[in-house]
Amino acid sequence: MTGFASAVASVPEHSGEGADEADLSGAARAAGKGASGGVGAELRSVNSRFLDLSFKLSDEFRALEPALRELLTTSFRRGKIELKMQPQRAVESAWPQPQPDQLHSLARLEGMVQNWLPKASPLSVNEIMNWCRTAGPVAKLEEVALEAARQSIEALLEARKREGKRLVAILMERVNGLKALAEQATPLVPQAVQRQQERFIQRYQEALEAVGGSITQEAANERALSEAAAYALRIDVDEELTRLKAHLEEIARLLKKGGEVGKRLDFLIQELHREANTLGSKAAALELTQISVEMKVLIEQMREQVQNIE
């Protein structure tokens, strides 16, 4: 059982100082420091009925999008997932030491420009340092980027599992509440039928006295019992309660089993809503109406939580 959360991971290019990991509000983070920089990968997920992937990659990693997409599709089934990735250079490597051959080439080029354009401004130290940095060898970060993505995926999966456990506890609390309401509703229908039967008998007796005894007491009682039986059929919710309890047992079984059960739970929630509506429409007592309303509140709370389950 997994929920939807967010995770952030950062991987150094080379093994260096140790990395630390923490969990805060459904997010997992890992950070490390390498000799020549590394790659930062940030993976976030929100609930969605289907798998929706989006990428925000720096230019260095755009060619990796097919491989990153494959990693995500093999790890997730649902959710709107966004992957951000960018290089991270170490502070000491941000301004590399200029090499003599670089300075020589730059001086030659500057002299050539000034011969043609005597009024051209000389290069500043900042411009020279920037040129030397961009002209240096480019670090190969493809493998580091893929490893950063893998660690982000693992962190996000763990965060979603923790969130899923919390959602299971919430849903089981609602399931137990619905079971208790169903048990309260079970004896209310026979009581309502009994009260209505007594009313029918009383009314037929009053009608018998009004007509002066032209109808026998036995016939009046028989007619009253027949009306009460027809009334009992109209308000009988035993089948609805039985199906509702069966749906609740199935939901509890799926929550205990775990796995990818979000769509199955979504269907069962719809069935619960249908049974609660029928119970309310057949309600013959104020107590049943109140129970139906309370059921609908709990079912709606479950529906909102199920949207967050994979």
Side-chain angles (χ1 to χ4, degrees):
M1 180 68 59
T2 58
F4 295 95
S6 62
V8 179
S10 175
V11 182
E13 182 181 2
H14 302 291
S15 60
E17 300 177 6
D20 57 339
E21 185 174 343
D23 175 29
L24 178 63
S25 300
R29 299 177 183 271
K33 180 180 179 182
S36 60
V39 175
E42 182 177 348
L43 198 59
R44 297 188 180 278
S45 172
V46 295
N47 62 341
S48 176
R49 292 178 61 86
F50 307 99
L51 182 62
D52 182 9
L53 302 179
S54 62
F55 298 88
K56 294 185 177 179
L57 309 176
S58 60
D59 294 337
E60 296 92 329
F61 307 125
R62 293 192 183 280
L64 294 177
E65 182 172 333
L68 294 171
R69 185 177 295 274
E70 182 179 359
L71 284 175
L72 293 174
T73 53
T74 55
S75 302
F76 303 102
R77 295 293 179 269
R78 292 177 60 189
K80 182 177 176 61
I81 299 176
E82 179 185 78
L83 174 62
K84 295 181 181 179
M85 185 172 289
Q86 59 184 0
Q88 294 179 338
R89 295 183 176 89
V91 175
E92 60 269 19
S93 65
W95 296 99
Q97 184 73 24
Q99 300 300 313
D101 56 338
Q102 291 178 326
L103 296 176
H104 177 74
S105 298
L106 195 59
R108 181 175 55 82
L109 292 172
E110 184 182 23
M112 184 183 300
V113 170
Q114 289 181 341
N115 286 335
W116 285 93
L117 302 172
K119 295 183 179 181
S121 301
L123 293 173
S124 66
V125 175
N126 182 62
E127 291 171 335
I128 294 172
M129 294 299 293
N130 277 323
W131 187 88
C132 292
R133 181 175 62 177
T134 57
V138 179
K140 299 296 183 180
L141 299 177
E142 287 82 358
E143 288 300 325
V144 184
L146 292 176
E147 181 61 25
R150 293 188 189 98
Q151 290 198 12
S152 294
I153 289 172
E154 291 177 2
L156 180 57
L157 288 173
E158 288 299 320
R160 289 171 67 159
K161 287 180 181 178
R162 290 192 297 269
E163 180 70 8
K165 291 179 180 179
R166 187 183 69 84
L167 292 178
V168 167
I170 294 175
L171 288 172
M172 284 304 303
E173 181 181 352
R174 304 299 186 271
V175 167
N176 293 331
L178 286 170
K179 287 181 177 179
L181 289 173
E183 292 299 327
Q184 294 176 24
T186 300
L188 293 179
V189 173
Q191 295 174 8
V193 173
Q194 179 64 31
R195 290 195 299 268
Q196 192 65 28
Q197 179 179 329
E198 293 174 355
R199 293 194 192 100
F200 283 145
I201 293 176
Q202 181 180 359
R203 289 175 183 175
Y204 275 105
Q205 288 177 346
E206 293 174 353
L208 182 62
E209 294 174 357
V211 298
S214 59
I215 302 176
T216 63
Q217 181 69 34
E218 292 77 8
N221 290 339
E222 183 178 350
R223 181 63 179 174
L225 293 176
S226 177
E227 292 288 344
Y231 176 78
L233 290 175
R234 290 197 304 270
I235 69 169
D236 182 33
V237 292
D238 184 65
E239 292 185 6
E240 286 76 10
L241 291 175
T242 300
R243 287 195 296 266
L244 189 142
K245 293 176 183 178
H247 296 328
L248 292 174
E249 292 296 334
E250 179 64 11
I251 290 174
R253 186 188 71 82
L254 291 174
L255 293 175
K256 183 178 180 180
K257 175 184 176 183
E260 298 175 12
V261 298
K263 293 184 179 180
R264 176 63 176 166
L265 288 174
D266 193 21
F267 169 76
L268 290 171
I269 294 299
Q270 295 179 24
E271 294 299 309
L272 287 178
H273 226 298
R274 183 178 294 109
E275 304 303 342
N277 284 333
T278 306
L279 179 64
S281 64
K282 289 185 175 182
L286 180 60
E287 295 88 345
L288 279 173
T289 302
Q290 293 173 342
I291 288 176
S292 174
V293 172
E294 293 178 14
M295 282 184 172
K296 291 178 183 179
V297 171
L298 292 177
I299 292 170
E300 180 61 23
Q301 292 173 354
M302 292 178 67
R303 187 191 66 78
E304 293 176 356
Q305 296 298 335
V306 164
Q307 302 305 313
N308 297 318
I309 293 180
E310 186 172 26

